[in-house]
């Protein structure tokens, strides 16, 4: 079965200022789904109305980052911030419910400034597990999935707590809730571990969402870099992946002009613009 792609509105179409306009541009480009980080400043009713007009699904949102001025990027694993995490999670659930989004990336957060990663690792894991159990219970009431995304600490975010799929899988096992899954961004996974074929096969039962970008530039999949995306797409198809593949990359130029890789993918699978079967015409 052909893959389904989701446009990350926090990255694609940066030439357009507002999320609803970016959503409409993504729909015009053929995307059937979109995703975004925490949609600060965009009322839920505006985003939902744009999605309904464009007949696009909202596939994924993040929990709020916390206090960006204090250097926060998520709160789920940060000791002493449990109350703020719960408030943010509840806000994310309300927003996701309002726009019909079934998945929320529960952001782990950063190792606090002035602390040693190894010294606080145990406390952060305990905090993370407790907050994830709370999140799983809340999300289950809404029939939503919570996602854990490892972010590389070699290039992108040196202080981020959750860094590898191995670490995420171990935490998911300790939490033990079926509505929590792995969000595997292949950009981060390649930087931290490589071995993508084996990692995709090993962690496939845990995966609830996939994101892509070329390494190391974090641009379009067909830009110069380390990853062979035609092979990766075939592997995901052979594994039977039916979720969304989120396009979380920085366009090298105009977003639409840079989508030649997606149009080529559709054409190679005998699909028309938008990834639908030509026989469906």
């Amino acid at each position: 079965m052909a893959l389904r792609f989701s446009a990350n509105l926090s990255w694609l179409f940066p030439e357009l200022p507002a999320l609803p306009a970016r959503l409409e541009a993504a729909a015009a480009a053929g995307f059937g789904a979109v995703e975004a980080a925490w949609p600060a400043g965009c009322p839920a009713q505006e985003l939902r109305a744009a999605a309904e007009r464009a007949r696009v699904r909202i596939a994924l949102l993040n929990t709020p980052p916390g206090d960006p001025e204090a250097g926060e990027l998520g709160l789920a694993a940060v000791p002493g911030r449990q109350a703020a995490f719960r408030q943010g999670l509840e806000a994310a659930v309300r927003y996701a419910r309002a726009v019909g989004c079934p998945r929320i990336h529960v952001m782990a957060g950063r190792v606090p400034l002035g602390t040693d990663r190894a010294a606080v690792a145990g406390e952060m894991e305990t905090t993370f597990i407790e907050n994830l159990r709370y999140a799983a219970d809340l999300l289950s009431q809404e029939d939503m999935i919570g996602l854990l995304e490892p972010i590389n600490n070699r290039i992108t975010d040196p202080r981020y707590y959750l860094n590898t799929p191995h670490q995420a899988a171990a935490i998911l096992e300790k939490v033990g809730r079926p509505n929590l899954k792995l969000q595997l961004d292949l950009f981060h996974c390649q930087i931290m571990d490589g071995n993508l074929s084996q990692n995709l096969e090993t962690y496939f039962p845990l995966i609830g969402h996939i994101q892509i970008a070329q390494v190391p530039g974090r641009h379009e999949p067909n830009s110069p870099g380390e990853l062979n995306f035609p092979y990766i797409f075939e592997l995901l198809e052979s594994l039977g992946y039916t979720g969304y593949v989120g396009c979380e990359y920085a366009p090298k130029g105009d977003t639409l002009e840079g989508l030649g890789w997606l149009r080529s993918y559709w054409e190679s699978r005998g699909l028309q613009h938008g990834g639908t079967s030509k026989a469906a015409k």
Side-chain angles (χ1 to χ4, degrees):
M1 180 181 292
L3 300 174
R4 300 184 298 165
F5 293 90
S6 170
N8 192 301
L9 303 182
S10 301
W11 289 76
L12 302 188
F13 304 100
E15 58 273 14
L16 299 171
L19 286 184
R22 294 183 184 187
L23 183 150
E24 290 166 3
F31 285 99
V34 300
E35 58 192 65
W38 177 242
C42 180
Q45 60 268 29
E46 289 186 19
L47 195 61
R48 182 182 186 112
E52 289 177 346
R53 285 195 304 270
R55 298 183 180 180
V56 164
R57 293 183 178 180
I58 298 173
L60 169 71
L61 297 169
N62 288 0
T63 52
D67 184 357
E69 292 186 5
E72 292 181 331
L73 188 69
L75 298 172
V78 182
R81 295 287 277 150
Q82 287 91 329
F85 165 74
R86 292 186 177 195
Q87 290 175 356
L89 175 68
E90 288 159 7
V93 167
R94 286 195 300 272
Y95 197 105
R97 183 197 307 129
V99 300
C101 175
R103 299 171 197 83
I104 294 177
H105 168 205
V106 183
M107 299 196 73
R110 292 170 169 153
V111 175
L113 282 169
T115 62
D116 177 73
R117 177 184 290 270
V120 298
E123 185 181 7
M124 292 192 75
E125 180 176 289
T126 298
T127 301
F128 200 21
I129 289 170
E130 290 175 354
N131 280 334
L132 287 172
R133 287 179 178 150
Y134 176 87
D137 290 344
L138 184 62
L139 292 168
S140 68
Q141 298 172 22
E142 305 286 342
D143 199 24
M144 293 177 183
I145 298 293
L147 296 164
L148 280 64
E149 180 189 9
I151 295 176
N152 83 80
N153 65 346
R154 288 180 171 163
I155 297 174
T156 302
D157 199 322
R159 289 195 297 114
Y160 204 76
Y161 168 71
L162 187 66
N163 306 127
T164 69
H166 324 294
Q167 182 189 7
I171 288 170
L172 285 170
E173 184 175 2
K174 291 177 181 179
V175 175
R177 301 296 172 88
N179 65 328
L180 296 181
K181 298 286 186 179
L182 173 64
Q183 178 174 319
L184 193 64
D185 188 323
L186 300 186
F187 171 81
H188 297 301
C189 188
Q190 169 70 3
I191 290 170
M192 291 303 295
D193 193 56
N195 196 26
L196 291 187
S197 298
Q198 186 66 43
N199 277 323
L200 281 167
E201 292 170 6
T202 298
Y203 297 111
F204 189 76
L206 299 178
I207 293 174
H209 193 70
I210 287 173
Q211 292 174 324
I212 57 170
Q214 187 56 273
V215 177
R218 209 169 190 180
H219 298 306
E220 285 87 347
N222 63 341
S223 60
E226 300 173 13
L227 299 185
N228 179 354
F229 276 102
Y231 165 79
I232 289 169
F233 294 157
E234 289 180 5
L235 176 60
L236 290 172
E237 290 169 347
S238 71
L239 290 170
Y241 182 66
T242 58
Y244 286 103
V245 177
C247 301
E248 186 177 288
Y249 61 79
K252 293 190 76 172
D254 179 79
T255 301
L256 199 57
E257 291 180 5
L259 288 173
W261 67 270
L262 182 56
R263 292 187 287 270
S264 295
Y265 173 83
W266 287 333
E267 184 64 30
S268 70
R269 301 311 191 266
L271 304 174
Q272 62 187 12
H273 178 79
T276 56
S277 171
K278 291 182 178 179
K281 275 190 171 180

